[in-house]
DNA sequence: ACCCAGGATGGAA
DNA sequence: TTCCATCATGGG
């Protein structure tokens, strides 16, 4: 432990932080379904990053953060929100096609977060055949029952950290099923034990070759290509990885292969080559755009042909 | 009652 | 390879 009272800094610990940034939409970034622990509370977003409760607002050309306890530094939040990323530079790498352009126009300021690997893996293991609102509920229950309480402002409802692998590893399958995890319960339990016992190392996620890392994730029971790719993109920083779920599958089919029946291998190859080095970001734009449209129209109508 | 949800899996075609 | 039923559970 290093002392926190050394007079080495020019700034004091504080509970508020101000970071100038352009093109950052909290609504699109925190509400698009890439993470499950953020909640909109009036004009702000509240969540827990690691063991810290935080409230975020869009200020005047900046993101303004507020914590319950004074922070010596804010690198943890800067990293989690990817505030140093130049969004325009990413958008410049996108292919010039009308469907993606429309999605980008509709989801301005959508960013890809950097999540904690274990929380990301566990959350997406719970996502299989669930609606996002239900995934959020399962994760919230898991945190309330088995996660450590974290400091919150006076009078604020309690908040909890995501349970560590070791905390979940000691549970029973029945306890996880009581959180509505269903058939995912035994798989999550096995994954927690693998991480807790050191058989799966998530600390080096992003530091090893993509294919090796993907294979290690998919070796887990309950982790297939899609969930592995979500972890690689959202926690591993593999920006080019393009997770294909039912929504994106429809989008690819309708937008890029209309009235055809491309083989899955063709669609996958297309998704890996068409969208460039930040394909995962493009995927998130398509995903969120399609869901916003569908939800808003209360129908399953696809995007009309251009 | 019926269908679907940010899927994965084992077995059949 | 590709297709299919099955796995829990809640909401439309």
């Amino acid at each position: 432990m290093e002392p926190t009272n050394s007079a080495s800094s020019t700034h004091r610990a504080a509970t508020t932080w101000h970071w100038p940034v352009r093109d950052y939409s909290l609504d699109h970034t925190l509400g698009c379904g890439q993470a499950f622990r953020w909640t909109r509370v009036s004009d702000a977003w509240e969540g827990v990053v690691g063991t810290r409760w935080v409230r975020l607002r869009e200020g005047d050309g900046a993101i303004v953060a507020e914590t319950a306890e004074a922070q010596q530094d804010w690198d943890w939040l800067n990293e989690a929100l990817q505030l140093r990323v130049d969004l325009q530079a990413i958008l410049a790498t996108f292919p010039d096609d009308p469907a993606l352009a429309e999605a980008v126009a509709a989801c301005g300021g959508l960013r890809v977060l950097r999540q904690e690997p274990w929380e990301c893996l566990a959350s997406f293991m719970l996502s299989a055949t669930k609606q996002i609102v239900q995934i959020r509920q399962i994760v919230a229950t898991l945190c309330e029952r088995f996660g450590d309480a974290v400091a919150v402002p006076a009078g604020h409802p309690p908040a909890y950290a995501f349970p560590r692998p070791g905390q979940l590893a000691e549970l029973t399958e029945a306890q996880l099923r009581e959180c509505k995890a269903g058939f995912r319960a035994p798989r999550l339990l096995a994954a927690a034990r693998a991480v807790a016992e050191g058989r799966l190392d998530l600390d080096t996620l992003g530091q090893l070759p993509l294919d090796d890392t993907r294979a290690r994730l998919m070796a887990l029971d309950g982790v297939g290509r899609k969930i592995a790719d979500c972890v690689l993109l959202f926690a591993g920083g593999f920006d080019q990885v393009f997770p294909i779920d039912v929504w994106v599958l429809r989008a690819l089919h309708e937008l890029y292969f209309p009235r055809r029946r491309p083989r899955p291998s063709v669609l996958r190859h297309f998704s890996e080559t068409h969208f460039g080095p930040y394909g995962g970001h493009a995927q998130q734009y398509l995903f969120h755009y399609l869901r916003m449209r569908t939800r808003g129209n209360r129908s399953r109508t696809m995007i009309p042909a251009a």
Side-chain angles (χ1 to χ4, degrees):
Chain A
M1 286 298 148
E2 70 180 279
T4 58
N5 60 349
S6 63
S8 62
S9 68
T10 53
H11 9 295
R12 294 194 308 272
T15 58
T16 63
W17 185 61
H18 185 276
W19 182 272
V21 60
R22 296 180 47 214
D23 310 314
Y24 204 117
S25 165
L26 291 177
D27 283 347
H28 286 142
T29 300
L30 303 179
C32 71
Q34 62 177 313
F36 305 102
R37 293 260 283 153
W38 293 96
T39 307
R40 202 180 206 289
V41 180
S42 66
D43 66 334
W45 283 88
E46 297 182 5
V48 175
V49 176
T51 57
R52 298 178 178 96
W53 175 92
V54 60
R55 173 186 287 146
L56 302 172
R57 284 193 179 82
E58 289 176 26
D60 185 18
I63 296 296
V64 181
E66 170 190 355
T67 52
E69 297 179 313
Q71 305 297 314
Q72 292 290 338
D73 74 79
W74 297 80
D75 290 344
W76 55 276
L77 186 59
N78 208 332
E79 174 75 3
L81 298 180
Q82 294 284 284
L83 291 170
R84 293 188 179 87
V85 166
D86 180 354
L87 179 59
Q88 295 308 319
I90 291 175
L91 299 182
T93 69
F94 283 7
D96 183 17
D97 76 63
L100 187 54
E102 201 170 326
V104 169
C107 307
L110 170 59
R111 308 293 192 109
V112 170
L113 299 165
R114 180 63 55 85
Q115 302 185 37
E116 288 293 320
W118 167 243
E119 177 173 344
C120 186
L121 171 62
S123 297
F124 277 98
M125 287 187 77
L126 292 168
S127 76
T129 341
K130 278 291 178 188
Q131 294 186 137
I132 288 180
V133 58
Q134 296 175 346
I135 302 165
R136 293 172 54 85
Q137 186 54 57
I138 297 170
V139 169
T141 304
L142 213 56
C143 294
E144 288 172 20
R145 295 187 180 178
F146 309 119
D148 293 338
V150 302
V152 294
H156 192 280
Y160 302 88
F162 192 89
R164 296 183 297 276
Q167 291 179 303
L168 291 189
E170 294 181 357
L171 301 178
T172 64
E173 178 181 327
Q175 286 177 292
L176 292 178
R177 284 182 181 271
E178 286 166 10
C179 301
K180 312 301 182 187
F183 59 82
R184 308 157 195 82
R187 300 167 173 181
L188 177 61
L189 188 56
R193 289 175 176 163
V195 176
E197 295 167 10
R199 285 179 282 118
L200 176 65
D201 179 18
L202 293 177
D203 295 333
T204 59
L205 197 72
Q207 301 173 19
L208 296 173
L210 170 60
D211 291 335
D212 296 345
T213 310
R214 176 185 283 132
R216 277 205 320 232
L217 291 170
M218 290 179 66
L220 292 169
D221 186 24
V223 178
R225 176 63 181 253
K226 188 269 174 182
I227 291 176
D229 281 358
C230 283
V231 177
L232 293 168
L233 172 64
F234 297 135
F238 289 98
D239 296 294
Q240 74 275 32
V241 171
F242 192 101
I244 299 180
D245 65 279
V246 290
W247 289 91
V248 174
L249 189 61
R250 281 182 222 153
L252 291 178
H253 188 267
E254 297 286 335
L255 298 172
Y256 299 98
F257 299 88
R259 292 185 302 282
R260 271 176 282 172
R261 182 78 182 201
R263 287 160 41 193
S265 60
V266 172
L267 273 178
R268 193 166 60 75
H269 180 262
F270 175 81
S271 74
E272 291 174 351
T273 54
H274 177 67
F275 296 100
Y278 289 90
H281 297 240
Q283 184 269 11
Q284 200 55 34
Y285 275 89
L286 290 173
F287 174 80
H288 188 46
Y289 176 53
L290 201 52
R291 290 193 71 250
M292 281 197 306
R293 275 178 144 269
T294 305
R295 224 171 8 177
N297 293 342
R298 297 172 59 86
S299 76
R300 306 212 173 277
T301 308
M302 283 301 305
I303 301 169

